[in-house]
Amino acid sequence: MTIKVDTLFREFQNPWGMTWLDGGRMLVTERKGEILIFKDDKYTGQKIQGLPAVYANGQAGLLDIAAHPNYSQNGWIYISYAKPVPGGGATTIARFKLNGNSVVEFQDLIVTTPAWNGGTHYGSRIVFDNQNFLFFTNGERGSQNNAQDLKNSHGKIHRIHDDGRIPSDNPFVNTTNAIPSIWTYGNRNPQGMIYDKSANRIWSVEHGPMGGDELNLIEKGKNYGWPVITYGKNYNGTPITSITEKEGMEQPVKYWTPSIATCGMTLVTSDKYPAWKGNFLVAALAGTHIARVEMNGTKATGEEKLLPGIGRVRQVSQSPDGYIYAITEGTGLLVKLLPAK
């Protein structure tokens, strides 16, 4: 399938997430703590006012953004950000409403623990399912053992109600000393997540170390293995573990070796891209491309590199009207993929 790339903006520094509101508006986060306002595919020159301070350190800062599925009724916008706390930063999910371009009714819904002094592996994506449960990802801070420890929030995917309450049917709510919001664990640094509404499935991509980036089907209470099993190595080339499989730990649906540095992802459901329908589009930071992963149910069956060399692709999303957008760092772009006539 042939596509045309329409470059809409060229001045991002470290864009991270994007979401659409009504009236043709789109919001894009910058990691340093800004939200830029676009309308009808053009930057308005305006930013959201009244945002909280963020812990901007390395990979930490203002990360994902998502409008509530019922935004047109309730006006809630959700962000994932590194909150400055005593001892460093904490991946935090918050929500707010807008009065014009200004934040009102700001609420922190959940603050992950323990606080972390450093800028490595904060996650973090937000998705809602059909029942409006909110799922978010949180990296293990580069401290491998966090991912297997249910007593801390890091290296996990979490599930909360849209007002921050802990669902009573979360898998570890009755486990002594476990963080009750945990949905899955053994996740290294998942920076991409998507909810497939029609199949009621959650998918995530996470960074491996040197090799071993993973595409995972995310299921309640499961252990995704990091750092006990992995297809990657330490950055100095030494082995992290001698095994890639273990009973009780999930295998990735697909893995990338060498790493492409998987980041945001989307599922193509739009009729505008008939040849891509049902495929995942996965942002590749180190790969500087978008990976189109062909799927058959829960099996990955093929892959194509799209837009090689476009820059470090941070997120790729499908808009409410069915077009694919991507944001890049390094090259600082917002692009729209148009099916070529």
Side-chain angles (χ1 to χ4, degrees):
M1 178 173 160
T2 309
I3 53 164
K4 189 177 94 175
V5 179
D6 189 4
T7 301
L8 306 176
F9 188 69
R10 298 175 178 274
E11 296 173 31
F12 288 127
Q13 291 177 308
N14 300 104
W16 227 96
M18 56 181 137
T19 196
W20 284 265
L21 309 179
D22 47 22
R25 288 178 299 161
M26 178 175 67
L27 305 179
V28 181
T29 58
E30 279 272 15
R31 198 170 59 209
K32 64 185 175 183
E34 295 178 346
I35 300 176
L36 280 63
I37 304 168
F38 291 77
K39 189 168 192 308
D40 300 330
D41 288 347
K42 293 182 178 64
Y43 178 45
T44 62
Q46 298 174 313
K47 298 171 184 175
I48 299 296
Q49 303 299 311
L51 288 163
V54 302
Y55 176 76
N57 180 354
Q59 296 168 18
L62 177 56
L63 304 174
D64 207 15
I65 187 166
H68 191 283
N70 300 329
Y71 173 81
S72 57
Q73 286 86 49
N74 64 31
W76 286 117
I77 298 168
Y78 292 73
I79 56 171
S80 169
Y81 76 107
K83 180 183 175 74
V85 294
T91 301
T92 298
I93 303 300
R95 69 177 181 176
F96 59 88
K97 296 181 181 181
L98 289 176
N99 179 5
N101 293 337
S102 295
V103 169
V104 294
E105 296 184 50
F106 185 90
Q107 305 170 357
D108 282 333
L109 301 181
I110 184 168
V111 181
T112 61
T113 57
W116 209 263
N117 184 13
T120 303
H121 297 181
Y122 275 70
S124 167
R125 290 286 166 202
I126 301 168
V127 298
F128 290 91
D129 72 4
N130 284 334
Q131 298 172 284
N132 293 343
F133 287 107
L134 184 158
F135 296 78
F136 71 95
T137 70
N138 185 29
E140 40 70 292
R141 303 300 193 267
S143 185
Q144 297 177 358
N145 296 333
N146 284 344
Q148 293 293 323
D149 182 1
L150 294 176
K151 297 190 297 295
N152 81 45
S153 304
H154 309 316
K156 318 290 193 305
I157 293 174
H158 298 261
R159 175 185 184 243
I160 58 176
H161 284 287
D162 60 2
D163 60 1
R165 289 174 299 121
I166 302 296
S168 59
D169 61 343
N170 271 6
F172 302 108
V173 284
N174 298 317
T175 303
T176 305
N177 295 327
I179 301 288
S181 56
I182 294 172
W183 187 250
T184 68
Y185 63 111
N187 304 100
R188 183 175 180 264
N189 187 28
Q191 289 191 329
M193 187 165 54
I194 193 74
Y195 177 65
D196 178 350
K197 290 178 186 295
S198 60
N200 189 31
R201 294 185 188 122
I202 291 178
W203 293 86
S204 177
V205 286
E206 67 178 68
H207 291 277
M210 194 164 76
D213 295 352
E214 295 181 358
L215 168 66
N216 287 308
L217 176 61
I218 297 300
E219 296 182 307
K220 179 179 181 175
K222 291 193 172 176
N223 181 350
Y224 289 81
W226 177 257
V228 181
I229 58 172
T230 179
Y231 289 92
K233 299 177 181 176
N234 284 308
Y235 292 111
N236 64 6
T238 59
I240 291 166
T241 172
S242 60
I243 58 172
T244 55
E245 297 182 43
K246 187 175 182 180
E247 192 170 347
M249 295 183 177
E250 299 306 300
Q251 280 293 298
V253 170
K254 175 182 174 62
Y255 66 91
W256 286 266
T257 298
S259 291
I260 62 170
T262 53
C263 198
M265 65 186 298
T266 198
L267 170 66
V268 182
T269 60
S270 169
D271 292 328
K272 298 187 191 310
Y273 312 87
W276 294 358
K277 210 160 180 184
N279 295 177
F280 291 125
L281 301 181
V282 178
L285 292 163
T288 64
H289 67 273
I290 297 170
R292 181 174 69 84
V293 180
E294 297 168 357
M295 300 295 296
N296 181 4
T298 58
K299 291 189 166 53
T301 57
E303 183 178 357
E304 179 189 12
K305 278 187 184 180
L306 304 175
L307 315 185
I310 193 168
R312 290 170 55 83
V313 184
R314 180 57 75 179
Q315 173 66 316
V316 53
S317 296
Q318 182 179 292
S319 68
D321 61 357
Y323 285 100
I324 303 295
Y325 292 72
I327 49 180
T328 71
E329 58 183 36
T331 49
L333 304 179
L334 169 66
V335 298
K336 183 177 186 179
L337 307 191
L338 300 171
K341 292 285 188 287

